[in-house]
Amino acid sequence: MHYTTLEGIPEGAPVMAGTFSVNDQPITLLFDSGASHTFISKECVLKLGLEMECLKSPYSIHSLGGQIITNQITRQVPLQLHGKVYPTYFIILPTHKVDIILGMNWMRVHGVILDTISVCAHQFSHSWFDDLAPWRS
């Protein structure tokens, strides 16, 4: 598994990040096409009062800063983007400077395509291209 941090992104690189809502509280969110999975910081989990679960087998996560091992997850977190709620499963990172990282697994499931030129994300419905909804960071 792979993820990045805001600090690890080269200056001038097209980054999609912004403030969104979980449990009616603002969170910092990074759309990361280089992340294989979706992550939440432990600090954010505690701030939002989310329930944590421990897995029997841990995840091994690779980042620019090295390897992180974690066996904690949280499920069905109500992530609100552009007026729509997405119940989301997160792997909990013990230390991190971004509240939430939405990786390729989340984008694939929800049909999200990042447009780094206009700095927005588009979601396509199951009927493809019928329902275009941009989210601005």
Side-chain angles (χ1 to χ4, degrees), residues 120-137:
C120 64
H122 302 281
Q123 180 186 25
F124 295 96
S125 69
H126 295 295
S127 58
W128 293 97
F129 304 107
D130 291 343
D131 181 23
L132 184 62
W135 299 307
R136 299 229 180 251
S137 58

Side-chain angles (χ1 to χ4, degrees), residues 25-75:
Q25 293 194 36
I27 52 96
T28 303
L29 184 143
L30 172 67
F31 289 92
D32 186 354
S33 60
S36 58
H37 287 72
T38 298
F39 304 96
I40 188 168
S41 71
K42 189 165 190 171
E43 181 180 316
C44 186
V45 170
L46 296 173
K47 175 175 82 172
L48 297 171
L50 301 174
E51 186 177 321
M52 292 186 274
E53 294 179 41
C54 290
L55 302 173
K56 292 178 185 176
S57 299
Y59 288 107
S60 176
I61 303 160
H62 304 278
S63 74
L64 295 175
Q67 185 177 19
I68 297 172
I69 306 294
T70 183
N71 70 336
Q72 295 181 313
I73 62 165
T74 187
R75 300 176 194 261

Side-chain angles (χ1 to χ4, degrees), residues 3 7 45 48 69 82 85 92 94 106 117 127 130 135:
Y3 86 99
E7 294 79 17
V45 170
L48 297 171
I69 306 294
H82 199 272
V85 176
I92 300 171
W106 187 91
I117 294 171
S127 58
D130 291 343
W135 299 307

